[in-house]
């Protein structure tokens, strides 16, 4: 059964690479159905395998985003940004870094849905393809999620009492040393010259003499409201896992009802509900089930054991393998179940070797969080960004994504990898 699960998993990713992106949701869901029928994952584990929090966040946030776009607020923000940037390349870099800053405090997927509409508005004004800008926003969002305790689920798991036992401020100062926040920011800064090189031909001058008029501020209030609630909720340590999803879903419903009362426009309400990115939701649902299936077969545990076994008794080699092995694993496996599996393994190995587990745990976070940026299906934020591009009529292949994702990942991981070993090796 395990061999069958591995072969089908490899076949699924091969088809995703070969076929256009519009087929990915059906490939993932088809694989999930085969796993269920074959008994690779029991039907009883289906509700637990699916990350309902992410799906609710996507649905609620996309509803708000559609109204937000229609209000023309992204166009107004785009006008302001175009007036301060000298060319398209700098606009792309600014948007990327801005999404990273936001993502340090708000979930990566929500960040992409908040920032990407501004990027799309900028590209429409300049009449250029938005693919490079949206990919840059997505990968930067995924990177910066590891900067703080509240930026990503993996950070929360790492900070748990059974792992590094960290609070919010420990990400900034840990045992008297500059913490993980600075490791991630170093990685982010190292991506700037990478983006300058990648986008070096995008030197078209920009500037906007327009000043878009916004007449409907309800979507903007809904957008800011759900951001505020997401930040506030992040400071509650023992909240239910679906808290962020419920916040986004409720604010999405509030936006729909509020807009309908304000405009009495039933047609727009129905159109916005139809415009929800159901293909991205379908793709993620299929991938959640697939990852749950291979985890149920012990394949993720096997990967973890192999990484530790290869490292042997050499602590630096083990640290190196954990970082770069996690990069490779997270390019294809969702980092949440992977990190959840690896944490007790890493803590146990460090204890046996007579070391504190912090260095290995920080390396795990660097590798697993940033590794998802290699492929378009390696992180939920990337899937969300590709979904938005698909709605705009742009198909993004693995090759197109990896042209940006791979160098971005290498630069960020190398910076974080060296920083943790040299500064946070406690």
């Amino acid at each position: 059964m395990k061999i069958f699960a591995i072969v089908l998993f490899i076949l699924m990713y091969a088809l995703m690479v070969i076929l256009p992106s519009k087929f990915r949701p059906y490939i993932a869901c088809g694989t999930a159905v085969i796993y269920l029928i074959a008994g690779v994952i029991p039907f009883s584990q289906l509700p637990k395998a699916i990350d309902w929090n992410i799906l609710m966040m996507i649905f609620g946030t996309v509803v708000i985003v559609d109204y937000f776009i229609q209000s023309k607020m992204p166009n107004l923000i785009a006008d302001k940004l175009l007036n301060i940037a000298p060319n398209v390349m700098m606009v792309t870099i600014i948007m990327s870094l801005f999404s990273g800053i936001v993502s340090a405090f708000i979930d990566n997927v929500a960040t992409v849905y908040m920032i990407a509409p501004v990027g799309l508005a900028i590209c429409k004004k300049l009449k250029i393809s938005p693919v490079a800008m949206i990919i840059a926003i997505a990968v930067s969002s995924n990177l910066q999620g590891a900067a703080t305790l509240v930026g990503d689920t993996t950070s929360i798991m790492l900070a748990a009492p059974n792992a590094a036992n960290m609070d919010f401020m420990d990400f900034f100062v840990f045992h008297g040393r500059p913490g993980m926040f600075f490791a991630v920011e170093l990685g982010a800064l190292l991506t700037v010259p990478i983006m300058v090189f990648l986008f070096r031909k995008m030197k078209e001058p920009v500037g906007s003499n327009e000043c878009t008029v916004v007449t409907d501020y309800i979507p903007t209030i809904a957008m800011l409201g759900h951001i505020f609630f997401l930040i506030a909720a992040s400071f509650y340590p023992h909240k239910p896992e679906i808290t962020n999803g419920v916040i986004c879903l409720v604010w999405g419903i509030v936006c729909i009802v509020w807009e309908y009362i304000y405009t009495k426009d039933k047609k727009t309400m129905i159109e916005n509900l139809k415009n929800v990115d159901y293909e991205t939701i379908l793709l993620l649902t299929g991938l959640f089930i697939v990852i749950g299936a291979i985890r149920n077969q012990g394949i993720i545990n096997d990967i973890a054991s192999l990484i530790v076994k290869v490292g042997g008794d050499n602590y630096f080699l083990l640290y190196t393998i954990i970082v770069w092995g996690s990069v490779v694993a997270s390019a294809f496996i969702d980092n949440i179940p992977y990190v959840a599996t690896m944490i007790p393994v890493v803590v146990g190995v460090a204890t046996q070797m007579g070391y504190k587990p912090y260095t290995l745990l920080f390396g795990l976070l660097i590798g697993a969080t940033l590794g998802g940026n290699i492929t378009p299906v390696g992180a939920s934020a990337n899937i969300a960004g590709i979904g938005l591009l698909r709605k705009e009529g742009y198909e993004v292949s693995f090759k197109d994504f990896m042209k940006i994702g791979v160098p971005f990942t290498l630069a960020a991981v190398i910076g974080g990898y060296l920083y943790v070993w040299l500064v946070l090796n406690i």
Side-chain angles (χ1 to χ4, degrees):
M1 185 68 74
K2 184 179 289 188
I3 299 297
F4 170 75
I6 293 172
V7 170
L8 189 57
F9 182 75
I10 294 171
L11 178 61
M12 179 192 75
Y13 269 95
L15 290 173
M16 285 185 173
V17 171
I18 296 168
L19 298 176
S21 61
K22 63 182 179 181
F23 294 111
R24 288 174 195 162
Y26 309 106
I27 295 169
C29 287
T31 305
V33 170
I34 294 172
Y35 276 152
L36 286 166
I37 294 173
V40 179
I41 180 173
F43 279 91
S44 59
Q45 292 187 17
L46 196 58
K48 188 177 179 181
I50 298 172
D51 192 333
W52 300 102
N53 185 57
I54 292 290
L55 299 184
M56 287 192 295
M57 284 182 65
I58 289 176
F59 186 90
T61 307
V62 168
V63 168
I64 298 171
V65 164
D66 268 352
Y67 281 107
F68 186 61
I69 292 172
Q70 291 165 15
S71 75
K72 297 187 176 180
M73 181 58 78
N75 297 65
L76 178 59
I77 298 172
D79 290 339
K80 303 297 183 184
L81 284 173
L82 290 174
N83 283 329
I84 64 172
N87 53 48
V88 175
M89 179 186 73
M90 286 307 301
V91 172
T92 304
I93 293 173
I94 289 169
M95 291 299 296
S96 173
L97 295 177
F98 179 55
S99 71
I101 293 168
V102 173
S103 183
F105 300 94
I106 297 174
D107 184 89
N108 307 340
V109 174
T111 299
V112 170
Y113 280 117
M114 289 175 214
I115 307 300
V118 179
L120 290 172
I122 289 172
C123 293
K124 285 178 181 177
K125 282 180 177 290
L126 298 175
K127 297 180 181 179
I128 61 173
S129 168
V131 171
M133 188 176 294
I134 301 304
I135 292 176
I137 288 170
V139 295
S140 184
S141 169
N142 194 48
L143 157 67
Q144 294 271 25
T148 70
L149 173 64
V150 300
D152 196 16
T153 303
T154 52
S155 297
I156 295 171
M157 290 191 293
L158 181 105
N162 65 332
N165 193 24
M166 300 165 68
D167 60 27
F168 185 82
M169 291 308 300
D170 283 332
F171 274 76
F172 296 90
V173 180
F174 188 74
H175 289 201
R177 305 182 187 190
M180 276 297 296
F181 175 83
F182 299 98
V184 174
E185 296 312 310
L186 174 62
L189 288 175
L190 290 175
T191 66
V192 173
I194 296 296
M195 286 190 285
V196 169
F197 177 76
L198 289 174
F199 308 138
R200 64 190 181 281
K201 295 181 181 179
M202 299 166 62
K203 292 291 183 68
E204 300 92 334
V206 299
S208 177
N209 296 321
E210 301 177 27
C211 186
T212 304
V213 177
V214 178
T215 57
D216 183 3
Y217 287 90
I218 291 173
T220 302
I221 294 170
M223 181 69 79
L224 294 174
H226 100 288
I227 292 172
F228 173 79
F229 273 75
L230 286 171
I231 294 174
S234 68
F235 290 95
Y236 288 88
H238 303 297
K239 59 182 180 295
E241 291 182 1
I242 62 170
T243 299
N244 288 349
V246 171
I247 289 171
C248 293
L249 187 61
V250 169
W251 270 102
I253 294 171
V254 167
C255 189
I256 292 171
V257 174
W258 197 354
E259 277 287 341
Y260 181 71
I261 293 172
Y262 179 71
T263 64
K264 300 293 189 297
D265 188 350
K266 185 178 180 180
K267 184 179 179 181
T268 299
M269 179 182 71
I270 293 172
E271 282 300 314
N272 284 349
L273 287 172
K274 287 182 179 179
N275 287 337
V276 170
D277 193 356
Y278 295 108
E279 288 187 352
T280 294
I281 292 174
L282 197 64
L283 172 58
L284 281 170
T285 302
L287 287 176
F288 288 146
I289 297 170
V290 168
I291 298 303
I294 65 170
R295 187 181 187 186
N296 182 62
Q297 291 298 313
I299 296 170
I300 295 180
N301 283 328
D302 292 341
I303 294 171
S305 300
L306 178 64
I307 289 173
V308 172
K309 184 178 180 180
V310 173
D313 296 327
N314 186 317
Y315 194 61
F316 176 71
L317 178 60
L318 180 60
Y319 167 72
T320 300
I321 291 172
I322 285 175
V323 173
W324 295 103
S326 298
V327 168
V328 174
S330 291
F332 303 98
I333 300 173
D334 186 85
N335 58 16
I336 294 174
Y338 174 76
V339 170
T341 303
M342 282 294 291
I343 282 176
V345 175
V346 165
V347 171
V349 169
T351 302
Q352 288 178 14
M353 295 178 70
Y355 292 97
K356 293 180 180 179
Y358 304 125
T359 304
L360 298 184
L361 287 172
F362 294 151
L364 173 65
L365 184 63
I366 290 288
T369 304
L370 276 57
N373 280 334
I374 290 180
T375 69
V377 294
S380 298
N382 297 342
I383 292 172
I386 299 304
L388 287 171
L389 286 170
R390 191 188 307 114
K391 284 181 67 178
E392 295 293 321
Y394 294 90
E395 294 291 336
V396 181
S397 66
F398 265 64
K399 182 180 178 181
D400 292 336
F401 185 93
M402 292 173 72
K403 284 179 181 178
I404 297 174
V406 171
F408 194 101
T409 298
L410 290 175
V413 173
I414 289 171
Y417 163 76
L418 293 174
Y419 181 95
V420 168
W421 183 258
L422 297 173
V423 178
L424 289 174
N425 189 3
I426 298 172

